Amino acid sequence: GLAHGEVVGLPDAGFFLDRPDKDGVNCWPAQMKSLFDVSGGYQHLHSGCLARFPGEPWKCLYPENYADLLKSRVLALNSFYDSSEMSYTLRLSCCPGGCGGRAQACAGRDLKLFQGMKEDHRKAWAPLARKNGSGVWSPSCIAHTMTCESWTDPAWEVPAGSGNTMAAVVARWLAGDDADSRHFVYEDPEPWPDNRPCAR
């Protein structure tokens, strides 16, 4: 065990959902399951999750199935509209808007799948967001791994114009400073593309 200090989690993206793609195929989930089947990696997943799903260890590849079991404080930095999930989980090749004609616009079922990402993520990480000392920071903009480019960028605030950049929120979270009484839950209230600064 750790003699002094505290272990915390600060994942930058990666709260991937177990969802089929636009054609109803479990492409990404099947690829991840295959990788762990071949590598024998299941034993290294969360033990509480493995006990929760005996015979279905692949479910423990997805934090939606074990976020409530995490003992360490976690602040998940994850866009509601993760670009990796758009491409590799949902396999959407369309553009939800703002692409200047460089790609076909999303419409019909593809657009609904894209729009549904927000509520799907909110539901999936709700058990984590409810845990004392844990939380989420999630803008309604299309991105994956945001810390290297947008850590202090005022265009990336939740909500827009609030001053709640990743850097500001993480500093308060690490200090346990919940002065704004949000319990470290910073979920963009707007859908894509209504957080205009980061949707540019």
Side-chain angles (χ1 to χ4, degrees):
L2 184 68
H4 301 284
E6 177 188 15
V7 174
V8 297
L10 187 63
D12 178 7
F15 204 106
F16 294 123
L17 304 176
D18 178 15
R19 301 293 185 270
D21 69 15
K22 61 184 175 64
D23 300 315
V25 177
N26 285 321
C27 184
W28 175 256
Q31 289 174 343
M32 292 300 294
K33 183 178 182 298
S34 176
L35 174 67
F36 273 74
D37 286 345
V38 169
S39 68
Y42 290 118
Q43 64 185 346
H44 302 292
L45 299 180
H46 192 281
S47 60
C49 182
L50 293 172
R52 177 179 281 176
F53 297 105
E56 297 178 295
W58 61 269
K59 287 192 173 184
C60 301
L61 296 169
Y62 301 97
E64 64 190 281
N65 294 321
Y66 63 86
D68 61 310
L69 300 174
L70 297 176
K71 293 180 181 174
S72 296
R73 293 190 303 138
V74 175
L75 180 65
L77 309 174
N78 205 103
S79 171
F80 274 122
Y81 305 98
D82 190 295
S83 57
S84 179
E85 286 185 287
M86 287 175 59
S87 297
Y88 301 111
T89 303
L90 300 178
R91 296 200 307 166
L92 295 175
S93 57
C94 60
C95 174
C99 296
R102 294 184 303 274
Q104 178 182 350
C106 293
R109 187 169 186 278
D110 288 357
L111 183 59
K112 286 183 181 177
L113 282 171
F114 170 78
Q115 292 170 334
M117 291 176 74
K118 180 169 183 166
E119 191 56 28
D120 286 351
H121 278 110
R122 187 190 317 271
K123 286 178 183 175
W125 62 48
L128 175 69
R130 285 193 297 265
K131 289 178 71 70
N132 187 37
S134 288
V136 297
W137 183 91
S138 184
S140 287
C141 288
I142 300 170
H144 181 72
T145 58
M146 302 171 286
T147 55
C148 64
E149 305 250 338
S150 308
W151 183 246
T152 59
D153 188 343
W156 289 78
E157 297 175 343
V158 178
S162 65
N164 294 319
T165 62
M166 278 181 279
V169 169
V170 168
R172 292 197 304 268
W173 173 71
L174 287 171
D177 178 7
D178 187 27
D180 61 4
S181 300
R182 294 180 67 115
H183 308 292
F184 309 110
V185 177
Y186 296 85
E187 295 176 314
D188 203 327
E190 305 296 336
W192 164 264
D194 293 345
N195 183 331
R196 295 294 179 187
C198 67
R200 64 185 190 279

